[in-house]
Amino acid sequence: MIDFSTNYLGLKLKGPIVVASTPLSESLDNMRRMEDAGAAAIVLTSLFEEQLALESRALDEDLSRGTESFAESLDYLPDLSDYRMTHEVYLDHLRQAKAAVAIPIMASLNGATTGGWVRYARDMEEAGADAIELNTFALATDRSQTSAELESQLLELVDNVCRAVKVPVAVKLSQSFTSIPNLVARLEDAGMRGVAIFNRFYQPDFDIEALEVRPTLHFSTPSELLPRLHWAAILYGHTNADIAITGGVHSAEDVLKSIMAGANVAMMASALHIHGIEHIGRV
């Protein structure tokens, strides 16, 4: 019997295939199917701090500190007014997921403020998350904001979260940083245990009939895997942080290539939407 086991974020996994953050994980039945199909771990759909602000306008002063750090990216997010995963619902779902499956469950947080990241990360840890993935996306639209400032803001929030929780923390990075190896090294110094490359985020598109700008997110294609393999190979051997490849993983060959490039795990989401959850078993 071939041993497919691997380690990611200090967790012993039965195999290298992890379900990336996707709305599919909002269903406990789906999560049981993922486990039965062979998924080694599941990253829950992201908890959006912006949605919590929409529901409760009473975020305290601590949460407001640093809001400008990531405010530029908010216009590029989907409309969260109909987002279902409220704070308490998310934490309750996390607890139920832990009881429903035996594989590790990683919470995913998409925050907007330093205080928000810390608060919700602590809540996720208390609810039983085996690890926390920080779903980061920094977009500079102000000409006075430098790349160094963006990196400094990211390092600060990762440091604060890692100090606040005991469970391992992974950072899902955007591909737009200039020196990814240097940034990963500094994130590791800040306490990050793993890096997921790369974030696929909503991008603005024009609706030429309605004359509106709308955020869009398409399913990934295998062609998107190539730059991820490139950067994983560059990082491998030069960081103690674990590496996850996410985006473009659709086939068994894609998983094998990811491991060959130095990744600990390969994450799948779009392929499951296209081919079904049982696709994990075929892979």
Side-chain angles (χ1 to χ4, degrees):
M1 187 81 175
I2 298 175
D3 181 10
F4 289 105
S5 65
T6 185
N7 290 284
Y8 180 62
L9 304 181
L11 303 171
K12 180 74 171 179
L13 305 183
K14 64 182 181 180
I17 300 177
V18 172
V19 177
S21 181
T22 164
L24 290 174
S25 65
E26 292 180 12
S27 163
L28 292 177
D29 181 61
N30 282 347
M31 297 176 75
R32 293 187 185 98
R33 290 168 58 200
M34 292 169 185
E35 181 180 37
D36 292 342
I42 299 172
V43 182
L44 293 183
T45 184
S46 287
L47 175 65
F48 283 82
E49 186 193 342
E50 294 92 335
Q51 164 62 19
L52 307 181
L54 287 175
E55 294 169 351
S56 174
R57 302 289 180 176
L59 288 179
D60 61 29
E61 197 169 318
D62 178 57
L63 285 178
S64 299
R65 185 176 66 85
T67 304
E68 69 280 358
S69 300
F70 289 84
E72 296 86 353
S73 68
L74 302 188
D75 290 338
Y76 295 84
L77 291 171
D79 182 2
L80 299 173
S81 59
D82 60 350
Y83 187 68
R84 298 182 299 280
M85 278 288 180
T86 64
H87 182 207
E88 290 303 325
V89 169
Y90 189 97
L91 296 177
D92 186 57
H93 180 64
L94 172 54
R95 297 184 191 99
Q96 292 182 46
K98 286 292 296 177
V101 299
I103 57 178
I105 300 297
M106 307 178 196
S108 176
L109 175 60
N110 187 299
T113 67
T114 301
W117 289 83
V118 169
R119 172 177 296 185
Y120 300 124
R122 283 174 174 158
D123 289 345
M124 290 170 170
E125 179 181 44
E126 292 177 3
D130 294 288
I132 296 172
E133 181 179 273
L134 301 182
N135 192 1
T136 67
F137 187 75
L139 182 67
T141 58
D142 184 347
R143 62 182 291 177
S144 67
Q145 188 173 38
T146 68
S147 56
E149 289 172 340
L150 279 177
E151 291 187 9
S152 178
Q153 292 161 3
L154 175 59
L155 289 163
E156 179 186 4
L157 76 85
V158 171
D159 177 72
N160 287 337
V161 171
C162 290
R163 290 177 185 274
V165 298
K166 293 182 174 62
V167 295
V169 174
V171 177
K172 194 171 188 179
L173 272 185
S174 165
Q175 194 174 345
S176 60
F177 289 100
T178 302
S179 179
I180 292 172
N182 177 267
L183 179 59
V184 167
R186 295 163 69 196
L187 287 168
E188 184 183 344
D189 291 339
M192 177 191 76
R193 293 282 298 277
V195 58
I197 51 176
F198 289 106
N199 209 331
R200 298 182 70 255
F201 226 88
Y202 293 84
Q203 298 292 334
D205 193 10
F206 292 107
D207 184 326
I208 60 177
E209 298 297 333
L211 301 180
E212 295 176 348
V213 177
R214 294 183 177 177
T216 59
L217 179 64
H218 302 288
F219 290 141
S220 72
T221 64
S223 64
E224 296 180 41
L225 182 63
L226 296 181
R228 290 159 171 81
L229 297 177
H230 174 81
W231 283 110
I234 289 175
L235 292 173
Y236 182 73
H238 297 282
T239 177
N240 291 319
D242 292 335
I243 301 171
I245 286 181
T246 177
V249 179
H250 286 249
S251 67
E253 289 79 7
D254 294 338
V255 175
L256 287 168
K257 289 177 182 178
S258 298
I259 305 305
M260 289 174 66
N264 298 75
V265 296
M267 295 185 170
M268 305 181 75
S270 292
L272 307 187
H273 285 273
I274 296 170
H275 303 293
I277 291 172
E278 283 67 30
H279 183 63
I280 299 171
R282 292 189 290 271
V283 171

